[in-house]
Amino acid sequence: MDRISVSDELRFRVGISGHSGHLRLEPLPPVEGDGDPLRHLPDLILPPAFQRETADSIKEYIEEKYLSPRLDPEDFSPEKAGSDWEFDWFNKAKVPLEPSLPRSVVVPVWELPFRRSNSGAKNGKWEPRSIQVDISELNIGAEDSGALPRIAGAAKDFVRGSLSNRPFPPGGLDVTQSRAPDDGVTNGQWVREVLDGGPAQERPPNFKHGLDLGELKAYPCSWVVSKDRGASKKLPDDRTIEFSLQFDDLLKRAWEDDFSRNDQQEDLENEGKSDNEEITAEVSNNVLFNESSELDKILKVDPVVLGMRLDEKHDHLGEQQKKESWAVSGGGKDIAENFHELVPDMALEFPFELDSFQKEAIYHLEKGDSVFVAAHTSAGKTVVAEYAFALVTKHCTRAVYTAPIKTISNQKYRDFCEKFDVGLLTGDVSLRPEASCLIMTTEILRSMLYRGADIIRDIEWVIFDEVHYVNDAERGVVWEEVIIMLPRHINVVLLSATVPNTIEFADWIGRTKQKKICVTGTTRRPVPLEHCVFYSGELYTVCENETFLPQGLKAAKDDYKKKNSSPVGGGSFPSAGSGGGRGQNRENFQRGKQNKHTGSQYPVNFNGSVGTQSNHSGQNNPGLRRSESTSWSRLLHKLSKKSLLPVIIFCFSKNRCDRSADSMMGTDLTTSKEKSEIRVFYDKAFSRLKGSDRNLPQILRMQSLLHRGIGVHHAGLLPIVKEVVEMLFCHGVIKVLFSTETFAMGVNAPARTVVFDSLRKFDGKEFRQILPGEYTQMAGRAGRRGLDKIGTVVVMCRDEVPEERDLKHVILGRATRLESQFRLTYIMIMHLLRVEELKVEDMLKRSFAEFHAQKKLPEKQQLLMRKLAQPTQTIECIKGEPAIEEYFEMYSEAEKYQDQINEAVMQSHVAQQFLTVGRVVVVKSTMTQDHLLGAVIKAPSASVKRYIVLVLKPAVASTTETVGGGDSTDKGVNKFNEGFFVMPKGKRASNDEYCSVASSRKGTGVINIDLPYRGVASGVNFEVREVDSKGFLSICDRKIKVDQVRLLEDVSNSAYAKTVQQLLELKTDGNKYPPALDPLKDLKLKDMDLVEVYYKWNRLLQKMAENKCHGCIKLDEHMRLAREILRHREEVNALKFQMSDEALQQMPDFQGRIDVLKSIGCIDDDLVVQIKGRVACEMNSGEELICTEWLFENQMDELEPEEAAALMSAFVFQQRNASEPSLTPKLSRAVQRLYDTALKLGQLQADFELPVSPEEYANENLKFGLVEVVYEWAKGTPFADICELTDVPEGLIVRTIVRLDETCREFRNAAAIMGNSSLYKKMEAASDVIKRDIVFAASLYITGV
C-alpha cells in the first residue's frame, strides 16, 4: 500500500483488518533523513481525564472513603433530630460488616520426642511441621475472653446482652478445671487395671452410660521401667521413687509394634545409647505382679494423695500464689520524681501539677496494671478516672465508669462530656451506647456480665467509684459480683475514701483476678480541716491538724455549766417533754397524712446534738419554731461574720431538713444580682414542665427558698428540683444547704463549712452515734480546693456538749473497714447454672467473705500432704482381728454420758439407798480404761468413809497374790492397813459392828487386810478396794450373800471363793453384767431425756463388756494407739473438709435455695435451668421468685394495663411506712392473691430450713403503699392530684414510677420467653401509660439547661 502524505507530515498507513473489513490506521516508522519525529506531533495535546495519583492522594482518598465515620444522612438528618430515649443505634446506623473469619488456618503439629525425625532438625533444634486445619476445630473448648472465637450476637443485644449468650469466663477462674473429673481419671486406678491385663474402661469419664463392647481380647503389652538417678538426690524417700513409669516409653513401644516393626532393631540400638538403665518386662492377662515390687508401690499411691498432687499442680491457689503478694504498694516517691521520664507521652495533659499519688496511679495505668486509689473526698481521685478514659480513647477500646447511685452517674456524664466521647446507661436512660466511655450503675454492669453482652470484649478498663459503698448491706453484694465476674482482659480502677484495710481488699481482688493490684493514695487532705462545736452563739475549736484540743471542749463545757447553773436558761432550749436526758423519746414517731410541702411527715423535735425527739408537732408549737429559727440565725450570723459561707448543714432526716429550712423565713442571703441569676436559672429549668407541674407546691416552695439563697436536698424532692439545687449550689449562689448524708456521696459540691445538726442518726433499726467513716465522708465536703486555705466543720450543741471521748472517737476514730456483704440470691444461682463451666461454688470461694479461708488453703494443703505421708500405726491384737476401734467408739460415746449419769443418778439419794452390803455393781477400773463387775462388802461408816467393794479382775501376765498363800494370809492378819484403826467399842457406830452370815458371831469391825487386797479364787483374779460414790458406773438389780467377818477379819479363802463364785454365776445368761436398776420403778427418774440417756449408758456398758478387748492386758496400750489414730484421722478429715466446698460459709444456704428452685420448677434434678428459671433471670427489679410465680399463675390475665402497672409498683416501692391506699375491689383481690403467693413462697423456704419468716418475707418484698397512686397516674390523673392521695414524698413517687417502667420492660421480656403475646402487649401498654410529664422529665445533667 502506498503512503499518503498529509499536510502536517504525520505518516500513517490505512489498512483493512478482519473478515468484516474494518479500516485500521497504523503509524509508520520515520523515513530516513526526516530528522526528529517529535516535530511531526500536533502542537496541542489535551490534558489527561484523571489527575495523576500520588501516595498522598491515595492516602487521602482511603481515609475519606473508609476511615472517616459517618451516619446515614437519611436516618440522621437534622429534621429527624430530637429526644429519642429508646433509640436503636445499631439497627439504624449503617455499620459495615466485618470481614468473615477464615475457614482454615495453618498450625504447627507437636510430636512425641521419639517420633521426631532428625532429618527435619535445623542447627540441632527440632522444627515442627505445619498442617492446615479447619477453624471450627480450634474453637472447640477455646475460652471466650478475647475477640475470638466467640461469635457475636445480635446487634440489638450488643450492649445489654441476652440470656441466650454465654457469660465471659471470669478472670482468675480456670474454666478447664471447673468441671470435676471422674474418679477414674484422677486416681490412676485405670492404669493399674490395664497393666494387670484387665478390660478397658467401658464408660468414658463424665459419661452417664458407656458402650457395650463385649469381651475384649487380651492384648499383650510391655512397658519400660527405668531407674531415675536424679530423683533420689532431691527427694528423701529413695525406696518409693527409685523406679518411675515412663509413659512416653509405653507410647513409643506401642508405636513401634504397630507401625515400624522393620526398624525395631535400629531403634533399640539408639535406645542403648541412653543414660538410663532400662529394664523391659513382658506381661499378659494371666501374669500377676509381685506384690513386693517397687512398681506396685508406685501404682498403689493413695488416690487422695494423687488427687491432691494434681490439685497442687493446677489449682490457682497453689504454692506460687501463696508466695506472691497481689497488692503492691510503695515506690510512689521515685515515680513522682521521675514521672516525666517514665511517662514522656501522656494521653491527657492536665493544667495543674499532679499529686504524687496521681502520678503513681497514671504510671501504673500506662503499664496496664490495675489500680486502687484511696484518698479523702476532693483529693483528686477523678483525675485517675479521666486518664483511664484518655487511654481507651488512645487505644481505640472502651472504658466503663460505675457509680453506686444514679445522681453520680448523671453528674459524671455532664463533667466528662466536655472531654471525652461519653455514653450513659441507667435503668431508664440509654444515651450513646456506642461511645467509647460508658457511665452506668453497677447493677447495669452486673446484668451485662451475666447476659454476656458483646460490648464486654471491647472494654479495657472498669472504674469503680465510691468503692467503700461495698459496705452497704443491701447493694454491697453487687460490687463483689461484678469484680468476680469481670473477664481477665479487663483491668480495674478502684476509687475509694480512706479505709483501714485497703491492702487487704486489694489483695482479695488480686488473688481473685490473678493479677497485681497497685495500691496508692494519700491520707493528706488537700484542704486541712478544723473542727469546732457551736454552743450558745460561740464557736469552740476542738480539733486542728488532726490533733484534738481538749481546752476548746473544756471552754464549751464551762460555758454550758455556767448557763445551766443560772435560773434563767440563757441560750439553752430544753426538749419539750424531756428532762434533758440523752435519748429520751427518740423512737416516739407519730404518723399521719400531713401537708408534706410545709412541714414534716413525722413531727419530730430535734433538740441538742443527741437528736432527742418528742411527739409534739413542731408546726403547732410557735415557741419551738422560734427557737429553731433563733438557733440557725445565730449560727449563720457567726459564720457570715467569719466569712465561712457557703455552708452545708447535714440533718439525718428529710423532715428535719424541710423544717429547718422553713424556720428561716426571714433570712435573705443573696444579692440582687444573685437573685436575678437564680430566677433565670430555675425559670429556664422548670420551663420544660407543663403548666400544672410548674405549680406543684414543692416547686413553688423551693423557688421561694432558692430566691433567698437557701436550699434543701434529700430523697423526697423531685429529681429536677434536686438537680436545680445541686447546680445552683455549685454556681455558688446558694449560701445555706440543708441536706441528708446522701449529698456527701452523690454530688461533688464542696463548701466552705460543714455543719452537723446532730451526731446521732436513725439507721432504720435504731438510734446510734454516727461512725467515724460517716463523719469523715461528710466532713470532707468542707474546704474548696484552690479557694479555701482551711475547711471548717461545726457540731451543733443545743441541750448539752458532747463528751470528750465520744467527740474524739467520731473525729479521729478509724474509718469503717471494708466488710463483705456477699449473699446468695436466686437470680445469681440461676445465672450461674445456665453455664456449665461456671459453678456457684466458684462464686462463693472468690467472695471477700471467704478470702481469708481461701488464702490459707495452700498451707492447709501442705499440712494435709504431710499428715498423709506420715506412717500409719497398726494395732496387733493377740486375740485375732483387732476390735479396738469398735471398743474405742463405744468408750468415747460413753464418756459423753458419764458426768450426767454420775451427777443425776449415782449421786442421788434414791441410788445411794441401794448401795448396801451384797449389792452387785459395776465400777471403774483404776489401772485401765475399763470397768469391772463387783459387789459391795461394806458400806461407809464413821471409821471407813468409802465403800469397800470386791471386784473381779481379768487375768494378768504377772504373778498375783493368792489367798491360800501363807505369807499373804499371815501378813494380812497381823497388819492394819494404813488409815484403818479399831475404835473403842463405846465410840463405834452401830454399823461398825457386823455379824457373819455363816455364824451368829458378831464382828469387831477390824479390817485385817491391806487395801487394795488382791487374790485368786476359783481360778479368777479378784480385788478388794475402796470406792467412793463417783466410782460406781451402774447399780445392778441383784444382790449376793456376803460374809463380812470372814472376808474382812478372818480373810477366809472359802469366803472369797464363795463370793467370787456367786458373781460368776450372774454371767450365765450371755450377758457380762446383770440388768441395771429400773430407772422408773427403782430410781424414780422423771426426766424422760435422762431415762433415755440411762438406757443408752447401760447398753454401752454391756456391749463394751462383751467386746473381746474388755479385760485385755494390752487394753491401755491399744486405747492409746486408737486415740492417736482417731486424732490423726480427724485432723485429716478436718483438713479435707476445710479445703472442700462444704466448708464454705453459705453452702447450707445454697443447698436450701437449690431445693427451693427445684420445688417450684425453675431447675430440674440435674440442675438444668428450665423456662421458669429463664423467666426468673429477667427479674432484676423485684424479688425474682414472687415475680415469676405471679406470672406463671396468670394473675395478670384479668387486669387491665393500668391495674397491672399499679400492682407491679409493690415490687419497686421501698418505703416501709406509708398511708393505707384506697383500692377498688378488683385491685384489692389482686393484692391479696399476690400477697398469698409471697406467703406461700416464704413458707416453702422456711420448710427447706432457710432463715426466712413467711410474713417478714412477704412484707419485705411487697409494699403496696403506692398502688392507688400509680393506678391513678396510669389513668391520666395529674401529678399534683396523686400527691394528695398519700403521705409519701413526691421524689419517692417519681423514683417508684421510673423504676416501674424498667420493671415493665423486664416483664415484657419475660412474656416473650414464655410466648405470651397478650401479656407482652399488656406490658407495652402499661409502660406507655406511665411515661409522661414530670415523672419522665429529662435530667438537666443530660440535656443541659
Side-chain angles (χ1 to χ4, degrees):
M1 181 181 295
D2 298 332
R3 290 187 177 91
I4 299 176
S5 300
V6 293
S7 60
D8 56 359
E9 298 298 332
L10 181 62
R11 296 173 176 83
F12 59 88
R13 182 174 60 184
V14 180
I16 299 175
S17 64
H19 299 285
S20 58
H22 292 293
L23 293 177
R24 183 179 61 188
L25 297 178
E26 296 180 356
L28 295 176
V31 181
E32 296 181 3
D34 283 350
D36 188 5
L38 294 179
R39 63 182 182 86
H40 300 292
L41 294 176
D43 296 334
L44 177 62
I45 299 177
L46 295 177
F50 297 99
Q51 203 171 18
R52 185 177 180 181
E53 297 291 349
T54 62
D56 294 337
S57 64
I58 294 174
K59 179 180 178 183
E60 182 180 356
Y61 172 76
I62 293 176
E63 290 179 349
E64 177 66 23
K65 181 69 176 177
Y66 299 105
L67 302 182
S68 298
R70 60 170 56 85
L71 299 175
D72 188 0
E74 296 181 2
D75 292 335
F76 297 91
S77 61
E79 292 78 10
K80 295 184 178 182
S83 298
D84 189 356
W85 306 111
E86 297 293 338
F87 195 82
D88 193 349
W89 290 87
F90 296 97
N91 280 340
K92 294 187 177 181
K94 305 300 182 183
V95 181
L97 295 177
E98 296 181 359
S100 59
L101 296 177
R103 295 184 178 181
S104 62
V105 293
V106 177
V107 296
V109 179
W110 184 85
E111 297 180 0
L112 292 171
F114 58 82
R115 292 186 180 178
R116 300 171 185 172
S117 60
N118 296 329
S119 59
K122 298 179 180 180
N123 299 326
K125 183 179 180 182
W126 174 75
E127 292 291 339
R129 62 187 180 89
S130 298
I131 61 173
Q132 185 173 353
V133 297
D134 188 58
I135 190 68
S136 60
E137 299 178 8
L138 299 179
N139 291 348
I140 299 176
E143 298 181 3
D144 294 341
S145 60
L148 291 176
R150 173 173 169 155
I151 300 176
K156 63 183 180 63
D157 299 326
F158 182 79
V159 176
R160 299 280 183 167
S162 172
L163 287 179
S164 60
N165 294 345
R166 294 171 57 243
F168 290 85
L173 174 63
D174 190 358
V175 178
T176 59
Q177 297 295 326
S178 61
R179 295 186 185 181
D182 191 86
D183 292 339
V185 178
T186 58
N187 60 17
Q189 185 63 27
W190 63 275
V191 179
R192 169 70 192 212
E193 292 176 1
V194 173
L195 292 180
D196 275 340
Q201 286 189 337
E202 298 179 358
R203 181 175 64 85
N206 293 328
F207 277 64
K208 292 183 178 180
H209 304 288
L211 296 175
D212 185 8
L213 301 178
E215 294 184 3
L216 293 178
K217 294 182 179 180
Y219 183 80
C221 58
S222 64
W223 69 95
V224 177
V225 179
S226 61
K227 186 174 181 180
D228 192 350
R229 297 177 176 177
S232 59
K233 300 178 182 179
K234 300 178 181 179
L235 299 178
D237 192 355
D238 293 342
R239 288 193 60 196
T240 304
I241 61 172
E242 185 176 358
F243 296 95
S244 61
L245 189 63
Q246 303 294 331
F247 288 95
D248 280 349
D249 293 331
L250 280 174
L251 298 174
K252 174 181 177 180
R253 184 57 58 91
W255 177 73
E256 289 172 349
D257 292 342
D258 292 339
F259 299 104
S260 59
R261 296 184 183 274
N262 295 333
D263 299 332
Q264 185 174 8
Q265 185 63 33
E266 180 181 352
D267 292 338
L268 290 175
E269 291 177 0
N270 293 333
E271 289 173 11
K273 300 176 182 179
S274 148
D275 292 334
N276 293 336
E277 275 185 296
E278 299 180 351
I279 306 169
T280 306
E282 300 289 337
V283 283
S284 60
N285 284 340
N286 49 4
V287 178
L288 299 178
F289 288 107
N290 186 348
E291 292 183 358
S292 61
S293 68
E294 296 295 338
L295 183 60
D296 276 353
K297 294 182 181 180
I298 297 173
L299 294 177
K300 287 183 179 179
V301 175
D302 193 338
V304 177
V305 179
L306 183 58
M308 295 308 303
R309 289 174 182 172
L310 292 174
D311 290 343
E312 185 177 7
K313 180 178 180 181
H314 295 291
D315 194 358
H316 76 281
L317 292 172
E319 183 66 22
Q320 182 178 0
Q321 174 181 342
K322 174 188 171 185
K323 295 180 180 179
E324 290 181 307
S325 176
W326 298 100
V328 180
S329 61
K333 184 177 179 181
D334 296 335
I335 295 175
E337 292 176 354
N338 306 292
F339 177 71
H340 294 290
E341 289 78 12
L342 295 173
V343 189
D345 183 19
M346 293 184 64
L348 178 65
E349 296 291 342
F350 296 94
F352 51 85
E353 179 64 22
L354 297 175
D355 292 337
S356 296
F357 79 93
Q358 294 170 336
K359 293 179 179 179
E360 183 180 359
I362 289 175
Y363 167 72
H364 288 297
L365 291 182
E366 286 282 359
K367 289 178 59 181
D369 297 332
S370 296
V371 177
F372 192 147
V373 181
H376 287 294
T377 305
S378 303
K381 299 188 292 290
T382 308
V383 167
V384 183
E386 291 181 357
Y387 199 84
F389 277 178
L391 281 179
V392 299
T393 304
K394 180 180 179 180
H395 299 164
C396 297
T397 54
R398 297 180 190 267
V400 170
Y401 185 100
T402 69
I405 55 180
K406 184 179 176 182
T407 305
I408 299 180
S409 300
N410 292 340
Q411 188 182 35
K412 294 300 181 183
Y413 175 79
R414 182 197 64 175
D415 296 342
F416 291 147
C417 266
E418 302 174 357
K419 300 180 181 179
F420 308 104
D421 177 28
V422 182
L424 179 64
L425 294 175
T426 59
D428 59 318
V429 175
S430 178
L431 288 178
R432 303 192 70 249
E434 79 285 357
S436 60
C437 304
L438 292 176
I439 299 173
M440 63 184 69
T441 56
T442 317
E443 282 80 2
I444 298 294
L445 179 57
R446 177 183 63 172
S447 177
M448 292 165 56
L449 290 169
Y450 278 137
R451 298 164 70 92
D454 289 316
I455 197 175
I456 293 174
R457 70 176 77 247
D458 301 335
I459 298 175
E460 182 182 7
W461 297 98
V462 171
I463 303 159
F464 295 93
D465 199 3
E466 308 289 351
V467 173
H468 51 273
Y469 204 81
V470 75
N471 284 335
D472 184 78
E474 293 295 327
R475 299 173 59 209
V477 60
V478 181
W479 271 255
E480 293 190 54
E481 285 185 76
V482 170
I483 291 173
I484 295 171
M485 288 295 296
L486 285 177
R488 65 164 51 91
H489 71 274
I490 297 180
N491 293 322
V492 295
V493 176
L494 303 113
L495 310 178
S496 170
T498 53
V499 290
N501 59 333
T502 305
I503 298 294
E504 178 190 11
F505 193 78
D507 193 21
W508 165 67
I509 297 175
R511 289 179 183 275
T512 302
K513 312 310 295 180
Q514 292 289 284
K515 59 176 63 177
K516 299 287 186 179
I517 307 294
C518 303
V519 180
T520 183
T522 178
T523 57
R524 184 185 66 85
R525 289 187 177 275
V527 180
L529 298 181
E530 67 170 359
H531 304 263
C532 308
V533 295
F534 180 79
Y535 179 74
S536 187
E538 293 295 332
L539 286 173
Y540 301 91
T541 304
V542 296
C543 185
E544 206 170 46
N545 296 325
E546 304 296 327
T547 303
F548 195 80
L549 305 176
Q551 61 272 20
L553 183 62
K554 184 177 181 299
K557 283 186 172 293
D558 293 341
D559 191 13
Y560 168 74
K561 293 177 181 178
K562 184 189 301 182
K563 299 282 185 185
N564 285 273
S565 62
S566 61
V568 181
S572 178
F573 300 93
S575 303
S578 72
R582 295 174 67 96
Q584 295 183 0
N585 299 322
R586 286 180 189 147
E587 301 181 16
N588 192 1
F589 287 93
Q590 179 182 358
R591 291 189 62 252
K593 290 187 179 182
Q594 302 179 13
N595 189 346
K596 302 170 294 183
H597 320 296
T598 57
S600 64
Q601 267 175 264
Y602 307 103
V604 180
N605 173 25
F606 281 73
N607 276 333
S609 62
V610 295
T612 306
Q613 303 174 9
S614 68
N615 56 2
H616 297 281
S617 174
Q619 296 168 297
N620 300 325
N621 191 337
L624 187 58
R625 293 183 61 187
R626 284 195 298 270
S627 69
E628 288 289 333
S629 177
T630 304
S631 177
W632 292 123
S633 297
R634 296 170 69 179
L635 173 65
L636 294 179
H637 176 73
K638 192 71 174 178
L639 296 179
S640 179
K641 187 177 179 180
K642 290 180 171 287
S643 300
L644 297 179
L645 296 180
V647 58
I648 302 174
I649 301 176
F650 286 108
C651 306
F652 301 109
S653 165
K654 297 188 291 289
N655 312 304
R656 174 66 176 163
C657 292
D658 290 331
R659 293 204 309 78
S660 299
D662 291 339
S663 67
M664 302 178 62
M665 298 299 295
T667 304
D668 192 344
L669 303 172
T670 56
T671 63
S672 58
K673 181 180 179 181
E674 291 172 336
K675 292 181 189 296
S676 176
E677 184 179 350
I678 294 171
R679 179 63 179 267
V680 170
F681 185 88
Y682 67 62
D683 280 350
K684 192 173 181 181
F686 294 142
S687 64
R688 65 187 63 201
L689 305 178
K690 72 177 189 179
S692 60
D693 292 338
R694 296 179 197 171
N695 297 322
L696 288 172
Q698 187 181 100
I699 292 181
L700 296 177
R701 169 174 165 267
M702 192 57 62
Q703 287 177 351
S704 174
L705 291 173
L706 294 176
H707 197 258
R708 294 180 282 114
I710 301 171
V712 178
H713 189 283
H714 56 71
L717 297 179
L718 294 166
I720 191 171
V721 174
K722 286 199 297 184
E723 291 176 350
V724 167
V725 173
E726 293 165 7
M727 291 181 176
L728 287 176
F729 187 81
C730 291
H731 290 338
V733 292
I734 293 181
K735 308 301 181 183
V736 178
L737 178 64
F738 293 94
S739 173
T740 55
E741 58 183 318
T742 55
F743 188 83
M745 178 180 292
V747 183
N748 183 18
R752 176 68 177 84
T753 305
V754 164
V755 175
F756 287 89
D757 177 61
S758 170
L759 291 182
R760 295 181 65 84
K761 61 177 285 189
F762 184 73
D763 60 1
K765 298 179 180 178
E766 61 180 356
F767 276 93
R768 62 170 175 82
Q769 192 176 51
I770 64 175
L771 301 175
E774 296 170 337
Y775 179 90
T776 303
Q777 178 77 14
M778 289 179 275
R781 294 300 175 189
R784 297 162 296 181
R785 190 170 188 175
L787 296 177
D788 305 320
K789 293 183 178 180
I790 194 168
T792 304
V793 183
V794 179
V795 177
M796 288 288 290
C797 300
R798 294 184 178 85
D799 287 347
E800 59 185 348
V801 178
E803 295 295 331
E804 178 179 346
R805 180 189 60 184
D806 297 337
L807 199 60
K808 194 172 183 179
H809 171 71
V810 170
I811 297 175
L812 299 178
R814 295 185 64 186
T816 307
R817 291 172 52 86
L818 294 177
E819 300 289 347
S820 175
Q821 303 296 331
F822 188 86
R823 68 181 186 278
L824 279 175
T825 60
Y826 290 104
I827 194 170
M828 179 199 305
I829 294 173
M830 286 183 289
H831 271 304
L832 295 175
L833 290 179
R834 286 195 308 111
V835 185
E836 188 177 359
E837 291 84 358
L838 301 179
K839 297 195 300 182
V840 182
E841 292 87 343
D842 294 327
M843 182 72 79
L844 293 176
K845 289 178 184 178
R846 285 159 177 79
S847 67
F848 190 37
E850 297 287 346
F851 167 60
H852 292 289
Q854 297 295 314
K855 187 177 180 180
K856 295 178 181 178
L857 279 184
E859 302 176 12
K860 294 178 181 178
Q861 193 173 21
Q862 288 186 353
L863 181 59
L864 177 61
M865 294 293 293
R866 288 197 297 268
K867 288 189 175 296
L868 290 174
Q870 292 177 358
T872 56
Q873 297 178 339
T874 58
I875 299 176
E876 298 179 357
C877 182
I878 61 176
K879 298 181 180 181
E881 190 69 22
I884 189 63
E885 289 191 8
E886 180 185 359
Y887 186 88
F888 183 80
E889 290 178 3
M890 292 187 291
Y891 181 84
S892 302
E893 186 179 358
E895 277 188 326
K896 301 176 184 177
Y897 307 126
Q898 183 170 346
D899 292 339
Q900 186 178 2
I901 293 295
N902 277 332
E903 295 176 4
V905 180
M906 296 303 167
Q907 301 295 327
S908 66
H909 177 69
V910 177
Q912 295 292 322
Q913 292 178 349
F914 285 92
L915 293 175
T916 57
V917 176
R919 174 65 63 182
V920 179
V921 293
V922 178
V923 299
K924 295 179 182 179
S925 174
T926 57
M927 302 299 293
T928 61
Q929 302 177 50
D930 208 348
H931 41 83
L932 308 172
L933 182 67
V936 179
I937 60 177
K938 181 170 173 46
S941 62
S943 59
V944 181
K945 303 300 181 182
R946 297 191 290 179
Y947 294 92
I948 298 180
V949 182
L950 182 146
V951 295
L952 302 182
K953 297 196 67 177
V956 294
S958 60
T959 305
T960 57
E961 234 178 306
T962 62
V963 176
D967 259 356
S968 66
T969 304
D970 296 339
K971 183 178 178 181
V973 170
N974 298 321
K975 273 185 78 175
F976 290 119
N977 187 30
E978 184 178 356
F980 290 89
F981 59 93
V982 180
M983 299 179 65
K985 189 174 181 179
K987 296 184 179 181
R988 292 180 192 169
S990 59
N991 56 355
D992 281 343
E993 298 182 3
Y994 50 83
C995 298
S996 171
V997 177
S999 65
S1000 60
R1001 181 169 66 86
K1002 182 180 290 188
T1004 61
V1006 177
I1007 300 175
N1008 293 327
I1009 56 175
D1010 294 333
L1011 299 180
Y1013 176 76
R1014 301 180 181 87
V1016 179
S1018 301
V1020 177
N1021 295 323
F1022 69 87
E1023 180 179 288
V1024 180
R1025 65 183 183 192
E1026 294 178 289
V1027 178
D1028 58 13
S1029 59
K1030 295 182 178 181
F1032 295 103
L1033 301 180
S1034 179
I1035 304 174
C1036 302
D1037 62 355
R1038 299 286 191 274
K1039 291 188 69 175
I1040 62 174
K1041 295 180 180 181
V1042 175
D1043 191 340
Q1044 293 179 332
V1045 175
R1046 299 182 64 195
L1047 290 174
L1048 300 179
E1049 287 190 28
D1050 300 343
V1051 196
S1052 170
N1053 293 341
S1054 60
Y1056 281 109
K1058 185 177 180 179
T1059 304
V1060 170
Q1061 188 65 34
Q1062 291 182 78
L1063 288 175
L1064 292 175
E1065 291 174 356
L1066 297 177
K1067 300 183 177 183
T1068 56
D1069 296 335
N1071 294 326
K1072 296 292 184 177
Y1073 299 146
L1077 293 175
D1078 188 273
L1080 301 177
K1081 296 179 181 179
D1082 300 329
L1083 299 177
K1084 311 298 183 185
L1085 299 181
K1086 297 181 180 180
D1087 187 353
M1088 297 309 297
D1089 293 335
L1090 183 59
V1091 172
E1092 184 178 357
V1093 170
Y1094 181 81
Y1095 281 128
K1096 289 181 180 179
W1097 168 260
N1098 285 284
R1099 283 196 297 268
L1100 286 171
L1101 293 180
Q1102 193 68 245
K1103 289 181 179 180
M1104 291 168 67
E1106 295 171 0
N1107 190 287
K1108 65 181 179 181
C1109 294
H1110 178 68
C1112 178
I1113 59 175
K1114 290 192 173 184
L1115 180 62
D1116 278 354
E1117 177 186 351
H1118 289 178
M1119 285 286 285
R1120 179 180 57 80
L1121 290 176
R1123 182 174 284 105
E1124 292 179 0
I1125 293 173
L1126 180 63
R1127 178 181 56 80
H1128 180 269
R1129 186 183 305 159
E1130 289 177 348
E1131 290 176 353
V1132 170
N1133 291 336
L1135 286 172
K1136 289 181 179 178
F1137 175 78
Q1138 293 171 11
M1139 298 175 63
S1140 68
D1141 294 341
E1142 301 300 324
L1144 299 174
Q1145 296 178 11
Q1146 301 194 37
M1147 203 62 187
D1149 184 57
F1150 169 59
Q1151 297 295 346
R1153 290 179 182 268
I1154 286 291
D1155 294 336
V1156 171
L1157 293 175
K1158 288 181 180 179
S1159 177
I1160 64 178
C1162 288
I1163 59 177
D1164 61 10
D1165 293 337
D1166 294 328
L1167 303 185
V1168 177
V1169 179
Q1170 306 299 301
I1171 185 172
K1172 200 171 187 179
R1174 292 192 61 199
V1175 169
C1177 289
E1178 291 285 352
M1179 303 302 172
N1180 294 306
S1181 300
E1183 212 285 332
E1184 50 270 21
L1185 294 189
I1186 301 177
C1187 295
T1188 305
E1189 284 296 308
W1190 190 51
L1191 276 178
F1192 277 83
E1193 290 178 359
N1194 299 320
Q1195 296 187 23
M1196 277 196 293
D1197 288 353
E1198 303 173 357
L1199 302 179
E1200 297 298 325
E1202 295 83 2
E1203 295 169 332
L1207 205 56
M1208 288 162 61
S1209 67
F1211 297 128
V1212 294
F1213 181 49
Q1214 295 181 336
Q1215 183 168 308
R1216 297 176 182 272
N1217 300 319
S1219 58
E1220 193 69 24
S1222 177
L1223 306 178
T1224 63
K1226 188 176 180 181
L1227 271 178
S1228 298
R1229 291 192 299 270
V1231 166
Q1232 187 60 44
R1233 288 184 63 189
L1234 179 56
Y1235 186 78
D1236 293 342
T1237 300
L1239 284 178
K1240 179 185 67 176
L1241 290 172
Q1243 185 60 49
L1244 178 65
Q1245 295 175 76
D1247 294 341
F1248 284 107
E1249 299 182 356
L1250 290 175
V1252 174
S1253 169
E1255 291 77 14
E1256 291 182 4
Y1257 174 77
N1259 295 329
E1260 187 69 24
N1261 293 290
L1262 294 176
K1263 299 180 177 65
F1264 300 101
L1266 287 185
V1267 173
E1268 179 188 9
V1269 171
V1270 175
Y1271 179 64
E1272 294 296 331
W1273 175 256
K1275 289 172 61 178
T1277 305
F1279 190 79
D1281 294 340
I1282 68 170
C1283 290
E1284 299 300 328
L1285 299 176
T1286 181
D1287 58 355
V1288 177
E1290 294 91 331
L1292 294 182
I1293 295 175
V1294 171
R1295 181 181 180 187
T1296 300
I1297 298 177
V1298 169
R1299 293 191 62 197
L1300 180 59
D1301 178 58
E1302 183 180 356
T1303 306
C1304 289
R1305 291 198 301 270
E1306 294 172 357
F1307 274 76
R1308 182 191 63 189
N1309 296 337
I1313 295 175
M1314 297 170 62
N1316 192 336
S1317 59
S1318 61
L1319 179 60
Y1320 186 93
K1321 295 177 181 179
K1322 185 177 293 185
M1323 290 297 99
E1324 282 189 329
S1327 178
D1328 292 338
V1329 295
I1330 63 175
K1331 291 173 66 173
R1332 60 182 177 86
D1333 299 345
I1334 191 173
V1335 173
F1336 285 86
S1339 171
L1340 299 178
Y1341 289 115
I1342 298 174
T1343 60
V1345 181

